[in-house]
Amino acid sequence: GLYFAVSYGKHVQVWHAPGLRREFSPFVLHRTYTGLGDAVISIQWSPDSSVIMASSKSGIVRIWTIHSVDDYVPFTLSGHKTSVVGTYFEKIAPGGDGRLRKVYSVSSDGAVVTWTCSYSDESEDDKNNSRNSFNESSDAAVNFFGGSSNTFSSSSKGTSKSNDKSQAEYLPNATWTVSSRHYFHQDSDVTATSFSTSQNLLIVGFASGLFGLYELPSMSNIHTLSLSNQVIRTVAINNSGEWLAFGCPSTQQLLVWEWRSETYIIKQRGHSYGMRCMTYSPDGIVVATGGEDGSLKLWNTSSGFCYCTLKSHTAPVTACVFSNSSVVITSSLDGTVRAHDLHRYRNFKTYTTPSPCQFTTLAVDPAGEVIVAGTMDPFHVYCWNVQTAKLLDILTGHLGPISGLSFHPTRGTLASASWDGTLKIWDLYKREGEPENLKHAQDVVCCAFRPDGGQLCTGTIGGLLSIWNVDDGRLICEIDGKRDIAGGRKINDRMTSDNNASSRYFTSVSYSADGSCILAGGNSKYICIYEVSQQILVKKFQVSFNRSLDGVLDELNSKNLADGGPIDTNDYNSADEADFSANLPGAKRGDEGSRKSRVEVLTSQVAFSSTGREWAAVSNEGLHIYSLDDDMIFDPISLTEEITPGAVQSNLRSGNHGAALLISLHLNEFALVKQVLEETPYNSIPHVAKAVGHEHIERLLQFISKIMTDSPHLEFYIQWCLELLQTHGIYMEKHRGTYMRAFRAMHRSVQIHHDELRKICDENKYMLNVIEDQSKLVLDRNA
């Protein structure tokens, strides 16, 4: 852990790892290693970290030492025709001298070469074995009869000294030769490899979606299975060699597979071409996302896993919204609006228009009875009945595409934003007279009502956020966010990021649960939170630091810029040629047929959770969830001279567990609270739970949730949760907002254990039945 290695083009850099103590400029470059003809693909450390090995696209493997060793010249292993995907050291056998013996290298054409290292000093040692044995026996006889206290010979001293050598110090006398060569005999190239040193298992991923598990050095095939028809870009194996992980970027697929039992541990798949929209469920536990591939996915915010995928649309999903806790409505560019049942996981209603059109935005009234959807062309807003799917009305009047729809939280008022620079407020139930117009200087791209319905926020392409009074249509204030989201220079920009703020604006806004703050994101790498009354920026978040995305860096490398544009030669999909043409204006996705495309960093949609404790954003990298529920920190309250750790121990010894728990909660120390909880007798839990005051319930639930994650006393802590809920449940229900965070943390811990036990019980269902029946027979016989 003293060094870490990184690849930089054709070079390998080794840096000193920073320690736990904070210091100025902790990263110090140790050495730069060269000699590889092309870009570095893989880096591997030796078991004692004294030797480093790297492979490149040029088909060679090079071996260096971390520290200088006399008479050592770095080895170059050249036995492959194509790029070397991975290189690995063999496990050092226990009890040996610790020298490097074998190295395995895997190339993209499916060849595995085994390199054997032989040392010249070992042959000389074999010749001198007989002489050394005679000298050792002679020295032992002299020491025995002479009474010498030194019972170790000079040769043994030399041996012990040689055993303390690092693996790098043996290499000057080493020679590397090819001992064997094997082939996978697959029709596709090798794209990813990983190696388990402890088990000598090689895992290989192919471009065709196949993966193979092989045992080295015999190269016997253990498993060969197909995951998909797309390229496997990364594979990994855990330390014990039991779990295999695979990643397919093109299908957004992540798999963790247990090869001994041939079962899936994790099987997750994202949207194929990225996410486009999202919405929170009414309880804030589920997030629904719509993707460019036309699918709807449901995610659990606690675990981060997708548990359901619904594919009913044939074009990208543009908007999704919950009408109630069990129904999700989606709109798509295929010209349909669909309702999905979350109990049966199916599409049960389809809403269409008299003439085909593409829907861009969607909204549902607070009662969940009316659906409205805006279109790209014609510039209409369509209204349907949720139950009957009957088209109720068509709202006309806009002169541009509909960019946003939002219902008033308590009334039947609908706000529609359009590219024509107006925001219209419709009364769907009265429909008397013309709708109210709120004119803007530029195109309106988003709108949102405050949770109490008193204010309305709109965003324009000029980067302005306008706050309107809903009752009288008066402009309250404007927030200029153009400078706040400015930053990030794309590869084809002809001007710097400071002078290119005109293309940065907000495309999605959302009010916080209390209505005091506005969350805004758009065509930028930043997401901003504003305080409405003071019109100030509270905080700014950068959604991604991934430099492979376009627009992350504020300044580009000048050596890759010329008068005619960028001359960057980093080709992503082809090593032969690259297309440097600029993307079409307004295009959010790269050309699928081009040989090179860079995804732009931007935010499609932002939303606050109903709990007010977290918010989420959809970007080109996926779904980001930000939460206030971080780890607990030391926050002592009501500390007096009597509130000490010694008082906790004395109360525990005297059997006063209620007082001990209250003192430990005042100190807010995790170790003390855990000790008091576990030393409380099982039968005394109801009495101690009643002694806990309302001001301590939240912190106690947080402590129990944290302890339950890795505690074996599952039934004991579940009893604690049950008694606390039975004793203080009515008070917690009345003050739901205060205890929602703690309750969700407790629910998450219990749910994780429930899922694990349910899986084990389902797999051993019949065995449990046999044990239960057998116990009944034994009891009957004894009776």
Side-chain angles (χ1 to χ4, degrees):
L2 299 178
Y3 302 95
F4 66 94
V6 295
S7 63
Y8 181 72
K10 297 184 290 185
H11 307 316
V12 175
Q13 294 181 344
V14 174
W15 295 73
H16 289 273
L20 297 178
R21 184 177 59 186
R22 301 188 66 176
E23 56 188 61
F24 177 75
S25 185
F27 294 99
V28 178
L29 179 63
H30 172 68
R31 189 170 294 176
T32 300
Y33 300 93
T34 61
L36 297 171
D38 208 335
V40 179
I41 297 180
S42 69
I43 302 174
Q44 191 72 19
W45 290 90
S46 65
D48 68 346
S49 301
S50 64
V51 180
I52 188 171
M53 176 172 57
S55 64
S56 70
K57 289 185 177 180
S58 60
I60 64 173
V61 179
R62 200 160 172 84
I63 302 175
W64 303 279
T65 58
I66 297 302
H67 301 285
S68 298
V69 176
D70 294 339
D71 301 329
Y72 175 72
V73 178
F75 288 105
T76 300
L77 310 180
S78 56
H80 293 279
K81 298 179 181 178
T82 57
S83 60
V84 180
V85 181
T87 56
Y88 306 100
F89 289 102
E90 189 188 38
K91 179 183 178 182
I92 304 299
D97 53 5
R99 304 190 187 193
L100 298 176
R101 297 296 178 182
K102 285 185 180 181
V103 166
Y104 303 105
S105 59
V106 185
S107 61
S108 61
D109 59 355
V112 180
V113 177
T114 304
W115 306 83
T116 302
C117 185
S118 58
Y119 298 89
S120 59
D121 56 347
E122 287 183 336
S123 59
E124 296 176 359
D125 291 342
D126 293 339
K127 296 178 182 179
N128 295 330
N129 278 340
S130 58
R131 188 193 315 167
N132 290 336
S133 61
F134 176 76
N135 291 335
E136 288 176 3
S137 60
S138 302
D139 292 340
V142 172
N143 291 333
F144 177 77
F145 289 105
S148 175
S149 60
N150 184 12
T151 58
F152 294 95
S153 65
S154 60
S155 62
S156 64
K157 289 182 181 179
T159 304
S160 62
K161 183 178 180 181
S162 64
N163 286 338
D164 295 335
K165 286 185 178 181
S166 65
Q167 294 170 348
E169 293 174 332
Y170 291 108
L171 290 181
N173 300 322
T175 303
W176 293 89
T177 57
V178 177
S179 60
S180 63
R181 190 184 297 268
H182 303 274
Y183 298 92
F184 295 117
H185 299 292
Q186 297 290 340
D187 296 334
S188 59
D189 294 340
V190 176
T191 55
T193 60
S194 184
F195 182 68
S196 173
T197 307
S198 60
Q199 304 294 329
N200 279 341
L201 295 176
L202 177 67
I203 176 71
V204 182
F206 297 93
S208 61
L210 287 173
F211 82 90
L213 182 64
Y214 301 87
E215 185 180 5
L216 295 177
S218 62
M219 274 299 292
S220 57
N221 186 6
I222 300 175
H223 283 291
T224 300
L225 295 175
S226 176
L227 297 179
S228 64
N229 56 357
Q230 300 297 325
V231 180
I232 299 176
R233 285 296 181 188
T234 179
V235 297
I237 187 169
N238 68 339
N239 294 330
S240 62
E242 297 176 351
W243 289 7
L244 313 178
F246 308 92
C248 303
S250 57
T251 58
Q252 300 291 312
Q253 194 172 10
L254 171 65
L255 295 174
V256 178
W257 193 63
E258 208 281 321
W259 65 272
R260 298 184 188 274
S261 61
E262 300 184 9
T263 57
Y264 286 110
I265 305 300
I266 296 177
K267 188 176 183 181
Q268 292 291 303
R269 184 168 182 172
H271 295 281
S272 297
Y273 302 105
M275 295 182 186
R276 188 159 182 168
C277 57
M278 57 80 60
T279 181
Y280 267 103
S281 63
D283 56 4
I285 298 177
V286 179
V287 172
T289 59
E292 299 280 355
D293 56 357
S295 64
L296 173 70
K297 290 183 177 290
L298 303 177
W299 306 80
N300 189 308
T301 57
S302 300
S303 63
F305 289 147
C306 172
Y307 65 90
C308 179
T309 301
L310 302 173
K311 294 184 178 181
S312 55
H313 290 288
T314 58
V317 178
T318 56
C320 58
V321 64
F322 277 89
S323 65
N324 55 56
S325 59
S326 61
V327 177
V328 179
I329 313 294
T330 57
S331 64
S332 173
L333 295 180
D334 61 3
T336 62
V337 175
R338 299 177 182 268
H340 303 84
D341 183 5
L342 300 190
H343 291 310
R344 301 179 182 178
Y345 299 113
R346 65 182 182 89
N347 170 220
F348 69 91
K349 286 288 184 185
T350 301
Y351 309 90
T352 58
T353 57
S355 59
C357 57
Q358 293 182 321
F359 296 105
T360 57
T361 183
L362 180 71
V364 179
D365 74 324
E369 298 177 355
V370 178
I371 300 175
V372 294
T375 60
M376 180 70 69
D377 187 21
F379 316 132
H380 298 164
V381 178
Y382 294 88
C383 307
W384 295 274
N385 184 286
V386 174
Q387 300 295 333
T388 63
K390 180 182 178 181
L391 183 62
L392 301 177
D393 201 353
I394 300 177
L395 307 180
T396 61
H398 281 293
L399 303 179
I402 311 300
S403 57
L405 293 172
S406 179
F407 266 102
H408 193 282
T410 58
R411 308 175 193 167
T413 304
L414 172 68
S416 61
S418 174
W419 289 5
D420 60 4
T422 63
L423 179 97
K424 295 183 182 293
I425 298 180
W426 314 77
D427 195 329
L428 296 185
Y429 300 113
K430 293 182 180 180
R431 291 304 308 273
E432 297 177 357
E434 293 296 324
E436 183 179 2
N437 279 340
L438 303 179
K439 294 185 178 181
H440 298 72
Q442 293 172 311
D443 298 357
V444 185
V445 290
C446 57
C447 64
F449 275 99
R450 199 170 64 178
D452 61 356
Q455 290 181 0
L456 176 64
C457 177
T458 59
T460 64
I461 61 173
L464 284 177
L465 293 179
S466 303
I467 311 299
W468 301 83
N469 188 303
V470 177
D471 296 331
D472 55 10
R474 176 175 51 88
L475 179 63
I476 300 176
C477 61
E478 286 185 339
I479 301 174
D480 188 1
K482 185 182 297 184
R483 293 184 179 272
D484 298 331
I485 60 173
R489 183 177 179 181
K490 292 181 286 188
I491 190 68
N492 290 304
D493 285 348
R494 298 298 187 265
M495 59 185 70
T496 62
S497 59
D498 296 334
N499 300 325
N500 195 26
S502 59
S503 62
R504 310 299 184 195
Y505 55 90
F506 299 113
T507 58
S508 178
V509 293
S510 176
Y511 273 94
S512 60
D514 58 358
S516 61
C517 297
I518 289 179
L519 179 69
N523 295 350
S524 172
K525 61 180 180 180
Y526 294 114
I527 297 177
C528 302
I529 296 182
Y530 294 96
E531 208 281 331
V532 179
S533 61
Q534 301 295 327
Q535 306 166 32
I536 59 174
L537 177 67
V538 177
K539 195 167 185 179
K540 185 166 63 173
F541 301 88
Q542 184 171 342
V543 295
S544 177
F545 294 90
N546 185 359
R547 295 194 174 193
S548 64
L549 297 178
D550 206 8
V552 173
L553 295 176
D554 291 332
E555 296 179 358
L556 300 180
N557 197 333
S558 59
K559 74 177 182 180
N560 296 326
L561 297 176
D563 295 338
I567 56 174
D568 193 359
T569 58
N570 290 328
D571 52 333
Y572 294 90
N573 299 326
S574 174
D576 300 329
E577 59 179 312
D579 181 17
F580 298 108
S581 60
N583 293 331
L584 293 176
K588 302 302 182 186
R589 290 166 49 188
D591 183 9
E592 302 296 338
S594 65
R595 292 185 178 270
K596 175 180 175 179
S597 62
R598 298 193 68 174
V599 180
E600 180 184 356
V601 57
L602 54 86
T603 304
S604 303
Q605 189 172 355
V606 295
F608 263 106
S609 173
S610 59
T611 61
R613 303 294 303 176
E614 62 185 33
W615 58 270
V618 170
S619 73
N620 285 331
E621 282 195 319
L623 179 65
H624 307 259
I625 297 180
Y626 296 80
S627 176
L628 293 175
D629 302 338
D630 52 359
D631 293 334
M632 288 176 290
I633 59 176
F634 179 70
D635 186 20
I637 57 174
S638 304
L639 293 183
T640 62
E641 293 182 357
E642 293 80 11
I643 307 298
T644 61
V648 175
Q649 303 297 336
S650 62
N651 278 280
L652 285 178
R653 286 192 294 268
S654 61
N656 194 355
H657 300 92
L661 180 59
L662 291 178
I663 296 175
S664 63
L665 288 173
H666 279 298
L667 291 172
N668 207 21
E669 291 187 11
F670 176 77
L672 281 176
V673 176
K674 183 178 179 180
Q675 179 185 0
V676 173
L677 289 175
E678 294 189 351
E679 291 188 10
T680 302
Y682 185 83
N683 296 329
S684 302
I685 293 178
H687 308 288
V688 178
K690 293 179 181 178
V692 179
H694 295 158
E695 66 276 9
H696 301 305
I697 297 175
E698 182 184 8
R699 283 183 291 123
L700 181 57
L701 289 177
Q702 289 282 1
F703 279 120
I704 293 176
S705 304
K706 187 175 180 180
I707 298 171
M708 281 183 65
T709 55
D710 54 359
S711 175
H713 311 298
L714 183 58
E715 183 181 0
F716 181 77
Y717 284 108
I718 287 180
Q719 184 65 25
W720 266 108
C721 297
L722 182 61
E723 293 296 337
L724 287 174
L725 292 178
Q726 289 178 348
T727 306
H728 307 283
I730 298 176
Y731 182 83
M732 294 172 62
E733 178 67 22
K734 293 180 180 179
H735 302 80
R736 182 179 302 179
T738 305
Y739 300 103
M740 182 60 71
R741 170 190 174 187
F743 180 79
R744 291 185 63 189
M746 182 189 68
H747 179 269
R748 185 187 302 118
S749 300
V750 175
Q751 186 67 35
I752 291 173
H753 287 292
H754 175 265
D755 294 341
E756 294 175 352
L757 291 175
R758 183 181 62 181
K759 183 178 179 181
I760 296 175
C761 293
D762 291 343
E763 293 175 353
N764 301 275
K765 178 180 179 181
Y766 299 105
M767 181 62 70
L768 293 174
N769 291 336
V770 171
I771 295 174
E772 183 181 5
D773 295 340
Q774 190 68 24
S775 61
K776 290 181 180 179
L777 291 175
V778 173
L779 292 175
D780 293 340
R781 291 175 183 173
N782 294 334

